[in-house]
């Protein structure tokens, strides 16, 4: 299928609605676009029409703070899985409300995001299956990890190399929910 360019979102910068190295993107069940704005250490939300509606996060290692976040997933239940790469964790957050109906032109009070938990992992990408099992790709460890719904590590597979079951800095993972 051919894609059709519709419109650009933002430009380079630090201000609300600008990006500095966007690295991850997710679309929630409302059609809202969530973008990891890596070097600004935040997440920005964009509505279906391309309007910037919200932002959250800051630089640091506390709850809801990031150091080189790399990817994001937003589930239909409103859970947010964020690879907080340089903090060596996956943050699990929950949006406190449905998407804002009002478009904002500048940054204001951040949206309410509740910290749920975190999983210690050097991950650059995550995927979640229908049962809530979390899978992650670790470029530093050259492997993939599987966690249960409570965040307990269930399985790791892979090692550095070029043979079957070996990887060199994996950057992504996806789950087939059809099977």
């Amino acid at each position: 299928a051919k894609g059709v360019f519709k419109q650009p979102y933002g430009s380079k910068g630090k201000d609300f609605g600008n990006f500095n190295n966007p690295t991850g993107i997710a679309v929630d069940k409302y059609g809202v676009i969530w973008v990891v704005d890596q070097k600004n250490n935040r997440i920005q939300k964009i509505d279906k029409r391309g309007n910037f509606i919200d932002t959250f996060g800051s630089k640091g290692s506390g709850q809801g703070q990031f150091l080189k976040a790399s990817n994001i997933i937003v589930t239909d239940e409103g859970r947010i899985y964020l690879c907080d790469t340089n903090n060596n964790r996956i943050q699990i957050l929950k949006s406190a409300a449905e998407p804002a109906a009002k478009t904002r032109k500048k940054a204001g009070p951040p949206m309410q995001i509740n910290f749920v938990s975190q999983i210690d992992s050097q991950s650059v990408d995550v995927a979640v299956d229908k049962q809530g099992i979390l899978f992650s790709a670790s470029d530093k460890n050259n492997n993939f990890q599987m966690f249960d719904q409570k965040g307990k590590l269930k399985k790791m597979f892979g090692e550095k190399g070029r043979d079957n079951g070996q990887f060199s800095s994996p950057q992504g993972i996806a789950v087939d929910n059809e099977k």
Side-chain angles (χ1 to χ4, degrees):
K2 281 188 171 183
V4 177
F5 180 78
K6 294 285 188 178
Q7 72 184 65
Y9 296 109
S11 58
K12 186 170 182 162
K14 295 186 217 176
D15 295 331
F16 182 70
N18 296 127
F19 299 105
N20 191 357
N21 199 35
T23 57
I25 189 168
V27 179
D28 69 20
K29 69 181 182 181
Y30 302 105
V32 173
I33 302 165
W34 299 65
V35 181
V36 176
D37 188 3
Q38 187 180 69
K39 290 187 179 175
N40 286 326
N41 295 295
R42 65 184 176 194
I43 306 301
Q44 294 202 63
K45 289 174 58 177
I46 306 166
D47 71 15
K48 292 180 196 182
R49 294 173 303 283
N51 300 304
F52 285 85
I53 56 174
D54 230 324
T55 184
F56 73 93
S58 62
K59 185 176 185 175
S61 57
Q63 296 177 356
Q65 294 182 315
F66 321 121
L67 289 176
K68 197 180 177 192
S70 58
N71 217 335
I72 189 169
I73 289 180
V74 182
T75 67
D76 286 349
E77 295 78 32
R79 280 203 174 217
I80 303 159
Y81 295 86
L82 179 73
C83 293
D84 189 6
T85 307
N86 281 7
N87 278 324
N88 298 316
R89 65 187 178 181
I90 299 167
Q91 288 198 57
I92 304 169
L93 309 163
K94 178 112 173 110
S95 181
E98 293 184 10
K102 201 162 80 175
T103 300
R104 291 187 3 200
K105 299 294 181 197
K106 61 181 181 175
M111 67 179 166
Q112 183 62 43
I113 296 291
N114 298 320
F115 180 82
V116 176
S117 63
Q118 75 179 36
I119 298 171
D120 295 331
S121 175
Q122 294 180 324
S123 298
V124 293
D125 195 16
V126 290
V128 180
D129 72 9
K130 285 182 179 179
Q131 288 76 40
I133 304 296
L134 179 72
F135 299 87
S136 72
S138 174
D139 65 336
K140 293 176 185 171
N141 295 321
N142 297 295
N143 68 16
F144 294 89
Q145 302 163 348
M146 182 175 84
F147 300 90
D148 66 16
Q149 296 93 334
K150 294 181 181 177
K152 182 178 178 187
L153 180 66
K154 300 304 281 179
K155 188 183 232 183
M156 279 194 314
F157 55 96
E159 61 185 35
K160 187 171 180 70
R162 294 178 180 249
D163 291 328
N164 289 336
Q166 296 180 329
F167 305 95
S168 179
S169 191
Q171 297 296 305
I173 189 164
V175 176
D176 180 0
N177 276 314
E178 297 301 316
K179 306 226 179 217

